[in-house]
Amino acid sequence: MGIFNFYDFGQSRRKVLLGAHMSISGGVANALLAGKYLDCTAIQMFTKSSNQWKAKPLSEDDITGFRLLQRQSGIMTVAHDSYLINLGSPDKALLDKSRKAFLEEMERCEKLEIPYLVTHPGSHVGVGEEIGLHTIVESLNWLYTKTPDSKVIICLETTAGQGSNLGYKFEQIAFLIDESEESDRLGVCLDTCHIFAAGYEIRNKKAYNKTMTEFDRVIGLNRLKVVHINDSKKDLGSKVDRHEHIGKGFIGIEPFGYFLNDRRLKKLPFLLETPKGDDGEMDDINLGILRGLIKK
Ligand code: FE
Ligand code: FE
Ligand code: ZN
């Protein structure tokens, strides 16, 4: 046995699902090994290279190795889709390519027993928000019909609203959930940097509660499945998506404690997407800060 301890969370703090986005370079299982190394209880990963359309199929060894390690480590795993995919594209060829690529990513998650696939809903690229949102709904409907037996939950991520990105208002996320045909197959990922850059204040307890009440009213907290924990290089409402180390940006340290100790969010995975530094040393530092905020 040796290297993997079952349920070894090592701390007297209550168990919080906390970790970071991890690289799959050298094989998908390496993301879990990196997570284990940094005492993560949850990780996020791509299931293929995030900046290429083509993906080498997962081998049987990849799949069995990953599943085994996932079970042994007890690390909860979340996938993020490729940045090339735009389920709201007005360009027919690109839309078609995006849908097929996303379908493939759903299939990879299924094989790896990853329950959540996080995606930025899409960009309208100039044709307007209305049309963009409808295109995304059609994309989701197409994906449902292609994967009738899939257990993978598509988690729509709140965005900063950079460029023509959609999903920067809770109402837009709610629209996609309400209008698509099998909404039980959808969840939501809240990114702290993104909602802040989109204009939702979270820097004091009162503002945090107001934002979360708004989220609950418009989307529903029962939809929330994943939280991305990032500080922001840019200020409130800047609509610029630039992640910063915890406490080094415009959000500061304290607000992350609101999220981590919010009883309504207690079973959710909290995942860093901040610059990693050499050998994940920055992850170690950022995770240390976050762990320190967790109340026993
Ligand atoms: Fe994202
Ligand atoms: Fe994110
Ligand atoms: Zn971001």
Side-chain angles (χ1 to χ4, degrees), residues 29-85:
N30 283 352
L32 286 167
L33 289 173
K36 187 73 201 160
Y37 181 69
L38 292 177
D39 289 323
C40 295
T41 44
I43 58 154
Q44 178 175 270
M45 56 185 263
F46 298 119
T47 66
K48 55 179 278 295
S49 168
S50 66
N51 49 19
Q52 280 175 314
W53 288 102
K54 279 266 164 254
K56 202 171 77 185
L58 292 163
S59 70
E60 280 310 311
D61 281 354
D62 285 335
I63 295 164
T64 48
F66 185 87
R67 286 184 182 184
L68 186 69
L69 200 51
Q70 199 175 22
R71 286 191 197 140
Q72 285 185 336
S73 65
I75 295 173
M76 158 152 207
T77 312
V78 172
H80 194 298
D81 74 332
S82 154
Y83 293 125
L84 299 173
I85 291 174

Side-chain angles (χ1 to χ4, degrees), residues 32-287:
L32 286 167
L33 289 173
K36 187 73 201 160
Y37 181 69
L38 292 177
D39 289 323
C40 295
T41 44
I43 58 154
Q44 178 175 270
M45 56 185 263
F46 298 119
T47 66
K48 55 179 278 295
S49 168
S50 66
N51 49 19
Q52 280 175 314
W53 288 102
K54 279 266 164 254
K56 202 171 77 185
L58 292 163
S59 70
E60 280 310 311
D61 281 354
D62 285 335
I63 295 164
T64 48
F66 185 87
R67 286 184 182 184
L68 186 69
L69 200 51
Q70 199 175 22
R71 286 191 197 140
Q72 285 185 336
S73 65
I75 295 173
M76 158 152 207
T77 312
V78 172
H80 194 298
D81 74 332
S82 154
Y83 293 125
L84 299 173
I85 291 174
N86 180 6
L87 296 176
S89 178
D91 176 322
K92 279 276 164 270
L94 204 58
L95 182 63
D96 194 51
K97 205 170 176 181
S98 293
R99 287 173 177 173
K100 284 178 181 150
F102 195 86
L103 175 63
E104 220 178 297
E105 296 216 18
M106 288 180 77
E107 288 163 356
R108 290 169 87 87
C109 286
E110 192 81 33
K111 284 183 182 145
L112 298 173
E113 298 179 338
I114 298 176
Y116 300 134
L117 176 55
V118 174
T119 180
H120 300 192
S123 306
H124 64 74
V125 205
V127 297
E129 297 191 337
E130 197 61 48
I131 295 173
L133 287 167
H134 278 101
T135 305
I136 298 168
V137 168
E138 283 165 27
S139 294
L140 292 170
N141 288 341
W142 182 86
L143 289 162
Y144 303 148
T145 61
K146 291 286 172 192
T147 56
D149 301 318
S150 177
K151 290 184 286 295
V152 178
I153 301 285
I154 302 168
C155 291
L156 303 170
E157 181 171 353
T158 58
T159 66
Q162 186 164 303
S164 67
N165 280 356
L166 295 160
Y168 64 92
K169 285 185 194 146
F170 295 160
E171 284 78 5
Q172 295 176 339
I173 302 279
F175 177 88
L176 300 174
I177 294 170
D178 294 343
E179 296 299 312
S180 84
E181 271 155 32
E182 292 175 50
S183 64
D184 53 324
R185 304 195 42 195
L186 293 178
V188 175
C189 167
L190 183 156
D191 186 308
T192 56
C193 164
H194 297 175
I195 62 166
F196 177 75
Y200 293 97
E201 180 63 276
I202 49 173
R203 287 176 295 186
N204 60 73
K205 200 62 199 272
K206 205 174 152 209
Y208 169 82
N209 282 330
K210 185 169 172 256
T211 290
M212 294 311 273
T213 302
E214 177 87 349
F215 185 100
D216 194 29
R217 182 181 64 79
V218 177
I219 298 172
L221 278 169
N222 59 322
R223 289 279 175 190
L224 186 54
K225 303 297 176 202
V226 179
V227 181
H228 285 165
I229 290 281
N230 305 305
D231 205 336
S232 177
K233 266 194 178 23
K234 301 288 168 177
D235 209 348
L236 180 73
S238 63
K239 300 261 182 91
V240 177
D241 180 0
R242 292 286 303 283
H243 302 185
E244 180 57 285
H245 295 296
I246 301 302
K248 299 269 186 251
F250 278 90
I251 297 178
I253 290 180
E254 211 184 310
F256 297 106
Y258 307 152
F259 286 95
L260 289 164
N261 296 300
D262 189 330
R263 298 177 61 109
R264 297 167 295 183
L265 315 182
K266 77 177 171 194
K267 299 238 168 73
L268 304 182
F270 294 93
L271 300 159
L272 283 165
E273 298 173 308
T274 43
K276 305 187 85 65
D278 296 331
D279 284 332
E281 55 169 14
M282 288 314 295
D283 278 350
D284 215 18
I285 292 169
N286 287 318
L287 286 168

